Amino acid sequence: MSDIIPQIHARLDALQRHHGCRLLLAAESGSRSWGHASQDSDYDVRCVYYHPQETYLSLTPPRDTIEWELNPVFDITGWDLRKALQLALKSNISVYEWAHSPILYRSSPWLEEYRAVVEGVMQPRRLAARYAGMAASTRKRYLGRAVVPYKEYFYAIRPLLAARWVLQERTHAPVRFAELRAALLPADMQEEVDTLLHLRAAGKEKAAGPARPLAESFIDRELQSITDSLAATPMPDLPDPAPLDDFFRRVIRMTPTA
């Protein structure tokens, strides 16, 4: 593992050279950033990048997504800053999780202001609904069967805890699962989660086993509770994009062409 970080940095350097862009941030996403990776989890590196002003004034706009590398070890993709800010208006989960990942590979002088402006347009009702939708999708696709991949329990439990956090605290949720479970996971689920963490850490990414009735019962109860809370609160209108427009213009105007 000691040589992984230099490899990631080399790939990020190559991405910038090839696409003529600069990285506002590059961070780990997914199970490694959440703190419950398996033995063979890949490195999900996620970037937000930007170009100088001239690029955005072209008749051919820059790509808003870069898929740089996808193999069993590395999954490196990124969003153009304009796309990331557009998604922030809709309280997209990834915008907040990338910006606050505990594993940061690249930063920039713009990062703290980027975090502040996207936080300024975050809508708790909308963000919590997205987390709940993620949990519901996992519940429908993978749970309730005789054999279940261990990781899918975390793909349901973690977003439910994140949704609960957002609704209660009115801020983005912590990325680390340990922080969410310490604050919100009931005492009668702690041992069950410890068991699932052990099974996941000891096995491969696709490791599976018999269904866990205690975990599934908790997921069902919590999903229903959050769904009821969301139903009692109307979805707000999208926020004013002016602060994001201002931030975007300042970044690209101050970015040199070479």
Side-chain angles (χ1 to χ4, degrees):
M1 182 180 294
S2 61
D3 65 340
I4 288 292
I5 303 304
Q7 290 184 50
I8 290 173
H9 282 291
R11 284 161 169 78
L12 294 174
D13 288 339
L15 182 155
Q16 290 183 110
R17 289 194 302 269
H18 183 82
H19 291 281
C21 64
R22 297 196 176 196
L23 295 177
L24 188 145
L25 70 88
E28 188 69 27
S29 178
S31 60
R32 289 186 182 277
S33 67
W34 300 332
H36 53 72
S38 64
Q39 290 182 356
D40 60 343
S41 291
D42 61 359
Y43 289 81
D44 295 315
V45 183
R46 299 293 180 261
C47 313
V48 176
Y49 60 89
Y50 56 94
H51 297 274
Q53 180 173 271
E54 288 77 4
T55 303
Y56 295 98
L57 296 176
S58 169
L59 294 177
T60 304
R63 294 177 59 189
D64 67 3
T65 303
I66 292 175
E67 297 91 8
W68 186 236
E69 187 160 357
L70 180 59
N71 56 53
V73 178
F74 299 109
D75 179 349
I76 303 176
T77 63
W79 289 338
D80 182 87
L81 176 59
R82 178 160 54 189
K83 177 174 182 173
L85 294 174
Q86 289 170 339
L87 290 172
L89 283 173
K90 302 175 182 179
S91 295
N92 177 275
I93 291 172
S94 295
V95 168
Y96 297 95
E97 300 215 342
W98 300 2
H100 296 280
S101 172
I103 305 174
L104 189 64
Y105 299 118
R106 289 293 174 88
S107 182
S108 76
W110 296 107
L111 179 55
E112 288 305 319
E113 188 174 358
Y114 171 75
R115 287 170 172 164
V117 296
V118 299
E119 191 75 18
V121 298
M122 190 270 285
Q123 296 177 316
R125 166 64 173 80
R126 196 177 296 274
L127 183 59
R130 293 192 181 281
Y131 275 120
M134 179 185 297
S137 177
T138 298
R139 176 68 180 89
K140 181 178 180 180
R141 292 181 63 188
Y142 297 103
L143 306 188
R145 301 180 182 181
V147 177
V148 178
Y150 298 127
K151 72 175 184 179
E152 302 304 337
Y153 286 111
F154 293 102
Y155 280 36
I157 294 172
R158 182 185 172 275
L160 287 172
L161 297 181
R164 180 68 66 192
W165 178 288
V166 172
L167 290 173
Q168 291 183 2
E169 305 298 328
R170 316 301 287 177
T171 67
H172 69 271
V175 176
R176 285 289 191 192
F177 179 70
E179 187 172 347
L180 286 169
R181 75 174 285 192
L184 297 170
L185 191 70
D188 62 355
M189 273 294 296
Q190 295 288 348
E191 184 177 351
E192 175 74 355
V193 163
D194 283 338
T195 299
L196 285 167
L197 285 170
H198 173 74
L199 290 168
R200 176 141 170 77
K204 299 294 186 180
E205 182 69 10
K206 296 182 180 180
R212 311 284 302 188
L214 182 61
E216 297 200 8
S217 177
F218 168 76
I219 289 165
D220 287 343
R221 292 195 312 272
E222 188 67 1
L223 183 58
Q224 186 61 57
S225 175
I226 290 171
T227 299
D228 291 344
S229 296
L230 292 170
T233 307
M235 188 72 78
D237 294 334
L238 292 178
D240 181 3
L244 303 185
D245 284 337
D246 176 69
F247 175 73
F248 176 71
R249 292 182 184 118
R250 285 187 291 110
V251 171
I252 65 170
R253 284 171 180 163
M254 296 177 66
T255 303
T257 57

